[in-house]
Amino acid sequence: MARFLTPRYALTAFLLLLAAVPLFAGPFTVTIINYIGLAALVALGLVLLTGIGGLTSFGQAAFVGLGAYATAYLTTRHGMSPWGTLIAGMAITTAVSLGLGFITLRLSGHFLPLGTIAWGISLYYLFGNVQGLGGHTGIDGIPPVELFGVKLGDNRAFYYMIWATLLAAIVTTQNMLDSREGRAMRCLRAMTMTEAMGINTLRYRMVLFMIAAQFACVSGWLYAHLQRFVNPTPFSLGPGIEYLFMAVLGGAATVWGAVLGASAVTYLKEVLQDLLPKLIGATGNFEVVVFGLLTIIVLHRARDGVWPILMRVIPQRALARTLEPAEPLPRRDLPEKGSDVLQVIDVTKRFGGLVANNKMNLTVRAGEIFALIGPNGAGKSTLFNCISGVGPATEGEIRFMGQRIEQLGSRAIAKLGMSRSFQHVRLNRDMTVLENAAIGAHLRGHKNFIQSAWRLDREEERRLLWEAAHQLQRCGLGEHLFDTAGSLPLGKQRVVEIARALCSDPVLLLLDEPAAGLRHLEKRALAELLDKLRGEGVAILLVEHDMDFVMGLADRVLVMEFGEHLAEGLPREIQTNPKVLEAYLGSMDE
Ligand code: ADP
Ligand code: MG
């Protein structure tokens, strides 16, 4: 029995059952499953937006309304064909979601959900009040969709239309998530890291927002031609909250969670709407209360929704553990060894009254390892942030490859060939080690999300993953390619960050405490790797506490204390410098 409980069999059984339903089920069941399909399409958009992108929207019902009203209005008042109105509806949705996304996606924290509530309500009132949309009675007489000369006039015929659309959306979404574009989307929550890898996070939030809006719009179009009439009620805030609940309940980060959540909520709603008034002996929308309670329970007990729990029951197919070899990606020309790559000139960084960096100066050359050391709180990480554009300097000048960069953001700096790791590891714990490293190679690929949805990116994808695997192997993580990053010990997670940085083919590598948490042999392997990179002409700027590691490896050392320059020189000069000894004996805790 257990042998047949694999995802592939489960999926086949599900699809067969789905295809057979209209042949034996009664009209009520078919209607319910139609509504489940329609809701799942909207919830799928929310899986992308909320589960993947971390953006909460209560306003999706409004986009469903846009699709529904566009076709209702244009078919009945202007005699357009439903296929024409589908395109028109999607065009309108594109324009509206671009505008709304542009305004709301810049909002942070709880302002974003509030923003979605605001436009959700606005669009709802628009449907009810715009001349020609039929007010609160709506528009009827919407013609059926015709496909290959067949009128899809009844629920059974339309059933296949709805589910074929949904399955196509699921497959393309899954393809997209399993690609360079998808990896960037899945890392959107770690915005600082993602931007530092050269990824335009606002663009990806926008893309997710627009895809979610399109799914909702198509659902609305289908709904209008299923019902053959529309009024504003299904597009208000209440249904908007229900859609979000479906995504959260099902499993906000999994595509099948959308189907599960939509099924559960739609079915439960039918049952409760029937049952509760009888139980209570009064009429009213009591199911809303039950949903409210359920939401709280889910958020407490199953943050990731029910789908992941269900998946634990079904034995998972082992992930593919082999990679197809691919042609290496082209590499950039490194500057001549010994030439200045990075110049930091009188850089000051203030946090309010605290001066974390005070007039710091340093130069790093191609093919050298430059170490920055100093007690905790000396300002080393702050200086890294100034250099990499993560937290721009308050004053001073920074030149990288001859170009002024102190005003540039981390994304622009990454494009110039700088890559970094973080003192506090920033990986997507649920993605594999391989996928995490591949994030670093983002700028070396060019296929967009539409190409990846249709699997037109496979050649490039193979090359990107091959590069990631190669860099991981160099860093000694070849054994762990297919493990989730979160399952590695912290020390190894830091090494994943180094591999990720190397995937960008950097001119300058900034490593913030790369050896922390590593065992002796691992440290030695890391030192050998950095030495090899130096030999290839990469410039390396290193913050590290382990003195043996630094002194045996670095070409030059700069010591910082209290945000200031304390000493600079060759390792052996630093080791015997009385000022340094005093600073370290006085305050160093490692
Ligand atoms: P190091 O990396 O050398 O241990 P940091 O650069 O992390 O030191 O910190 C230098 C000083 O700046 C510390 O006093 C720290 O508390 C302060 N600091 C760092 N980041 C911030 C921030 N975002 N806001 C306010 N103070 C900060
Ligand atoms: Mg630090």
Side-chain angles (χ1 to χ4, degrees):
M1 176 63 201
R3 202 158 63 84
F4 293 101
L5 215 65
T6 62
R8 180 178 290 171
Y9 283 116
L11 183 63
T12 313
F14 172 72
L15 292 180
L16 285 175
L17 188 69
L18 203 60
V21 163
L23 305 179
F24 62 80
F28 177 73
T29 311
V30 173
T31 304
I32 290 273
I33 299 182
N34 277 343
Y35 283 119
I36 289 175
L38 291 176
L41 190 54
V42 186
L44 180 64
L46 279 170
V47 160
L48 280 176
L49 197 60
T50 307
I52 305 290
L55 304 164
T56 310
S57 168
F58 291 101
Q60 291 315 96
F63 289 120
V64 183
L66 273 185
Y69 266 95
T71 193
Y73 180 78
L74 293 172
T75 50
T76 57
R77 307 284 200 266
H78 294 279
M80 272 175 80
S81 96
W83 295 107
T85 60
L86 175 61
I87 293 170
M90 290 176 82
I92 296 169
T93 303
T94 304
V96 173
S97 60
L98 258 176
L100 288 176
F102 195 76
I103 305 166
T104 37
L105 293 183
R106 288 164 192 275
L107 300 176
S108 59
H110 55 277
F111 291 110
L112 173 71
L114 287 179
T116 65
I117 290 176
W119 53 251
I121 294 178
S122 318
L123 283 174
Y124 164 69
Y125 280 109
L126 202 71
F127 300 137
N129 291 310
V130 167
Q131 280 275 313
L133 293 186
H136 285 273
T137 42
I139 301 175
D140 60 7
I142 301 172
V145 176
E146 251 180 72
L147 189 63
F148 306 122
V150 181
K151 278 203 169 86
L152 303 179
D154 70 21
N155 277 357
R156 274 172 215 275
F158 217 64
Y159 173 96
Y160 290 106
M161 175 90 181
I162 291 174
W163 280 87
T165 309
L166 176 63
L167 291 175
I170 288 178
V171 170
T172 47
T173 300
Q174 223 159 17
N175 286 350
M176 181 184 76
L177 289 176
D178 175 30
S179 74
R180 164 180 169 272
E181 295 280 84
R183 284 189 291 275
M185 291 168 179
R186 283 146 74 196
C187 288
L188 280 182
R189 287 167 200 252
M191 192 165 118
T192 307
M193 179 279 285
T194 318
E195 285 276 331
M197 295 299 132
I199 294 167
N200 183 342
T201 52
L202 185 61
R203 172 181 175 268
Y204 282 95
R205 287 206 297 275
M206 200 69 159
V207 167
L208 288 179
F209 188 64
M210 290 181 61
I211 297 174
Q214 295 299 352
F215 284 174
C217 161
V218 173
S219 173
W221 177 83
L222 288 165
Y223 171 84
H225 291 284
L226 175 71
Q227 291 279 88
R228 315 279 287 279
F229 117 93
V230 293
N231 71 358
T233 319
F235 314 125
S236 59
L237 191 59
I241 296 172
E242 263 171 41
Y243 288 128
L244 187 61
F245 179 52
M246 289 172 192
V248 172
L249 176 75
T254 52
V255 291
W256 289 104
V259 181
L260 182 68
S263 309
V265 172
T266 309
Y267 184 71
L268 209 61
K269 194 173 157 182
E270 277 307 315
V271 173
L272 291 178
Q273 268 176 348
D274 208 33
L275 192 71
L276 288 182
K278 282 186 203 148
L279 277 181
I280 297 169
T283 53
N285 293 344
F286 302 114
E287 75 278 359
V288 176
V289 180
V290 178
F291 284 147
L293 289 174
L294 270 179
T295 310
I296 296 171
I297 295 173
V298 169
L299 289 179
H300 268 285
R301 291 292 158 122
R303 275 267 159 117
D304 300 327
V306 180
W307 184 259
I309 298 175
L310 202 67
M311 279 303 98
R312 261 175 247 148
V313 183
I314 300 181
Q316 289 300 292
R317 183 179 31 152
L319 281 168
R321 284 194 172 257
T322 50
L323 272 180
E324 279 180 66
E327 202 183 321
L329 293 167
R331 297 197 53 182
R332 74 173 97 225
D333 294 326
L334 291 177
E336 198 184 324
K337 276 188 199 172
S339 59
D340 290 353
V341 167
L342 176 76
Q343 289 159 292
V344 172
I345 303 156
D346 287 339
V347 163
T348 295
K349 174 73 179 181
R350 291 193 200 93
F351 293 111
L354 177 86
V355 186
N357 288 159
N358 191 9
K359 289 202 176 300
M360 288 300 299
N361 286 278
L362 62 86
T363 301
V364 185
R365 308 189 188 107
E368 82 165 344
I369 298 179
F370 189 102
L372 190 58
I373 65 170
N376 274 333
K380 306 179 295 295
S381 295
T382 302
L383 189 57
F384 262 37
N385 288 343
C386 293
I387 295 170
S388 59
V390 165
T394 319
E395 283 162 27
E397 184 180 324
I398 304 175
R399 287 176 179 273
F400 177 54
M401 305 286 285
Q403 193 175 330
R404 296 278 292 260
I405 59 162
E406 71 272 8
Q407 302 287 344
L408 298 182
S410 58
R411 182 168 20 116
I413 295 175
K415 285 199 177 116
L416 296 174
M418 191 189 299
S419 201
R420 65 168 293 176
S421 71
F422 291 89
Q423 182 181 348
H424 302 288
V425 174
R426 296 177 194 224
L427 298 171
N428 181 330
R429 298 173 56 83
D430 301 324
M431 282 185 357
T432 62
V433 167
L434 182 70
E435 290 175 307
N436 268 291
I439 288 281
H442 187 86
L443 290 174
R444 299 169 81 185
H446 307 283
K447 299 282 190 231
N448 65 34
F449 68 99
I450 295 174
Q451 289 166 309
S452 51
W454 294 100
R455 287 284 193 229
L456 301 173
D457 63 340
R458 291 297 99 180
E459 172 61 25
E460 179 184 282
E461 178 71 2
R462 267 197 298 278
R463 295 178 76 183
L464 292 174
L465 292 180
W466 191 244
E467 170 74 14
H470 168 65
Q471 298 300 349
L472 285 162
Q473 235 128 29
R474 282 179 103 182
C475 295
L477 289 172
E479 308 260 283
H480 298 290
L481 300 185
F482 302 102
D483 296 343
T484 54
S487 71
L488 295 191
L490 202 56
K492 286 202 167 138
Q493 293 188 21
R494 316 179 84 88
V495 181
V496 177
E497 290 223 337
I498 300 174
R500 184 178 65 197
L502 287 176
C503 281
S504 70
D505 188 23
V507 174
L508 172 67
L509 197 55
L510 304 188
L511 301 179
D512 200 344
E513 306 198 13
L518 292 188
R519 285 173 301 184
H520 183 67
L521 284 179
E522 292 170 333
K523 278 186 192 173
R524 205 155 74 191
L526 177 61
E528 277 165 19
L529 173 69
L530 297 184
D531 182 47
K532 185 151 179 288
L533 291 168
R534 163 169 60 190
E536 291 171 10
V538 179
I540 300 173
L541 177 58
L542 182 77
V543 165
E544 189 45 68
H545 275 315
D546 184 324
M547 282 308 125
D548 288 340
F549 186 85
V550 169
M551 295 305 173
L553 187 66
D555 298 292
R556 289 184 296 142
V557 181
L558 172 69
V559 190
M560 284 181 78
E561 193 190 28
F562 304 125
E564 305 210 359
H565 175 285
L566 184 71
E568 184 178 343
L570 301 174
R572 65 183 139 76
E573 294 167 356
I574 295 297
Q575 275 169 310
T576 52
N577 183 317
K579 276 201 292 187
V580 176
L581 289 176
E582 190 187 341
Y584 267 73
L585 288 175
S587 60
M588 191 78 180
D589 51 26
E590 272 174 77

